[in-house]
Amino acid sequence: MAVKTPFSASEFKEILARYDLGALLDFAPIAHGSVQTNFFLQTTQGRFVFRYYENRSPGSVAFESHLLQYLTQQHYPCPAVLLDRHGAALGIYHEKPYLLFTFVDGEHLERPDERQQQQLIQRVAQLQNITRDYQPVNKDERLNYTVENCRELARQQARRIGTTNAHEKLVWFERVLARLQLPSSLPCGICHCDFHFSNILFKDGEFAALLDFDDANYTFLTYDLVTLIHPFLPTFDWYSWSDFQPGDHILDFSAASRTVREYERYRPLRADEKQHLFDIFQLSIMFDCIWYFERGQVSDFFEKRKIDALDALGRDAFYRSLF
């Protein structure tokens, strides 16, 4: 169970008193999710979702609220944010922010079929089309996926861990970031950045909604695309990477190139986006490395194997393999 802060019926009644959503009938914690506290609320007017942000500033939650209201206006499939009687979306309870959402019916699929995967790719491309010219609120209160933020997070991790291995890993980390080529001309916008199966709903086999914009931020528009591609052997992943030897062939672009082609059906990539997809993909690997900075020795670990394989291939060959 992912509930970090328990709530009572009387507390939910106090919160619901701000809204025109009817009287509370029942509530239940939501098991999915590992960061924020989530509950289903059943009232006399329907079913809703309550999200209590354990570690986000009000400004960061306002970013999410404004974004979701904009996406709802654009008829994008996502939960709608509910407003209270005063027209406010953001609430504060015991000094932490919260939002109420419409409930979207559907199921989470751990293994969507090919057609359902194509629907996800379409919706990802649509998200970038919609937010290309969107002006976010409180953009800088989010962890935007930039090289600068990536570097600073790695430095924080190295200081926190404090081991020789962590500091040596930081040296490697900064060396990789320093050679990324990401010109300022690359288009930016909103990316969701977390397509875990628990954040995607299907209803009767059709894409129903993209959930949980807690990691959404302002970054390169192709960041979401690179998180959908896996240009490695299907057998090469976190659980099996150590079965391979350094220097083994681990690249396989067959699935990745299909994903890119499907994406471009809905949002054709600019020439510079194609040219620097290699760099965006490496940046995504480096952010993954931050979340797991303690695991592995600097001489050989999962993310380093990926970076080494891509460096051995090179930017031009990466481009040709995809396009």
Side-chain angles (χ1 to χ4, degrees):
M1 187 180 298
V3 170
K4 294 182 172 60
T5 300
F7 281 82
S8 66
S10 61
E11 288 177 308
F12 278 131
K13 288 177 182 178
E14 179 184 348
I15 291 169
L16 287 171
R18 293 180 50 198
Y19 299 82
D20 292 315
L21 298 175
L24 179 70
L25 296 176
D26 197 9
F27 63 95
I30 300 175
H32 290 302
S34 59
V35 180
Q36 315 305 346
T37 290
N38 303 282
F39 280 86
F40 289 124
L41 304 183
Q42 182 71 47
T43 78
T44 52
Q45 291 191 17
R47 199 176 191 193
F48 308 97
V49 174
F50 171 83
R51 165 164 279 199
Y52 193 62
Y53 292 83
E54 302 285 358
N55 59 357
R56 296 287 185 264
S57 69
S60 175
V61 178
F63 169 101
E64 183 174 342
S65 170
H66 190 273
L67 170 63
L68 287 169
Q69 290 178 73
Y70 174 77
L71 293 177
T72 301
Q73 293 168 2
Q74 301 297 317
H75 307 291
Y76 188 80
C78 63
V81 177
L82 297 169
L83 306 182
D84 66 16
R85 291 193 181 99
H86 303 288
L90 177 67
I92 303 292
Y93 193 76
H94 290 171
E95 301 182 348
K96 290 183 181 180
Y98 70 84
L99 294 174
L100 277 170
F101 301 93
T102 55
F103 171 76
V104 182
D105 192 19
E107 60 180 334
H108 304 287
L109 303 179
E110 287 195 52
R111 294 179 178 82
D113 60 29
E114 183 177 351
R115 180 172 172 275
Q116 290 161 342
Q117 291 177 31
Q118 290 173 346
Q119 290 177 9
L120 171 60
I121 296 167
Q122 175 186 354
R123 292 305 188 178
V124 171
Q126 182 185 6
L127 175 65
Q128 273 89 64
N129 282 332
I130 290 173
T131 64
R132 174 65 178 86
D133 298 315
Y134 166 70
Q135 298 300 315
V137 169
N138 298 330
K139 177 183 69 175
D140 293 336
E141 295 224 25
R142 281 275 160 150
L143 172 58
N144 300 308
Y145 286 177
T146 65
V147 171
E148 295 75 20
N149 283 343
C150 192
R151 181 182 295 110
E152 178 56 31
L153 286 172
R155 290 172 177 174
Q156 292 176 14
Q157 289 282 59
R159 287 195 297 268
R160 178 185 64 83
I161 299 167
T163 63
T164 299
N165 185 66
H167 288 293
E168 290 178 350
K169 186 177 284 189
L170 178 62
V171 172
W172 169 85
F173 198 101
E174 297 206 23
R175 189 183 306 125
V176 173
L177 291 182
R179 63 173 183 254
L180 296 183
Q181 297 181 19
L182 295 169
S184 59
S185 60
L186 288 174
C188 293
I190 302 299
C191 287
H192 181 274
C193 299
D194 186 6
F195 298 117
H196 188 269
F197 76 92
S198 64
N199 294 333
I200 304 162
L201 280 179
F202 289 90
K203 175 70 172 175
D204 298 327
E206 300 295 320
F207 189 97
L210 181 61
L211 311 177
D212 194 352
F213 283 72
D214 194 32
D215 289 328
N217 66 88
Y218 188 80
T219 183
F220 302 100
L221 276 182
T222 50
Y223 197 97
D224 269 350
L225 173 58
V226 300
T227 64
L228 293 176
I229 67 175
H230 183 74
F232 300 97
L233 295 172
T235 53
F236 180 85
D237 58 27
W238 162 241
Y239 300 101
S240 65
W241 73 270
S242 59
D243 296 335
F244 294 79
Q245 295 300 313
D248 281 356
H249 176 73
I250 59 173
L251 294 170
D252 180 356
F253 283 84
S254 54
S257 60
R258 287 195 300 271
T259 297
V260 172
R261 287 196 301 270
E262 184 68 20
Y263 182 92
E264 284 207 279
R265 289 180 59 196
Y266 308 99
R267 191 180 88 83
L269 296 172
R270 295 178 3 176
D272 57 349
E273 289 184 294
K274 293 181 179 181
Q275 170 106 27
H276 296 283
L277 205 64
F278 175 88
D279 304 275
I280 302 292
F281 188 67
Q282 288 208 340
L283 179 62
S284 74
I285 295 172
M286 302 309 285
F287 268 103
D288 286 343
C289 184
I290 287 171
W291 315 138
Y292 304 101
F293 208 85
E294 290 185 74
R295 70 183 183 188
Q297 296 301 306
V298 66
S299 58
D300 191 28
F301 56 98
F302 182 46
E303 291 82 12
K304 185 175 186 297
R305 286 281 189 97
K306 288 183 173 182
I307 293 294
D308 287 348
L310 292 170
D311 285 342
L313 179 70
R315 182 180 289 100
D316 292 341
F318 182 90
Y319 174 93
R320 291 193 300 271
S321 298
L322 284 179
F323 302 105

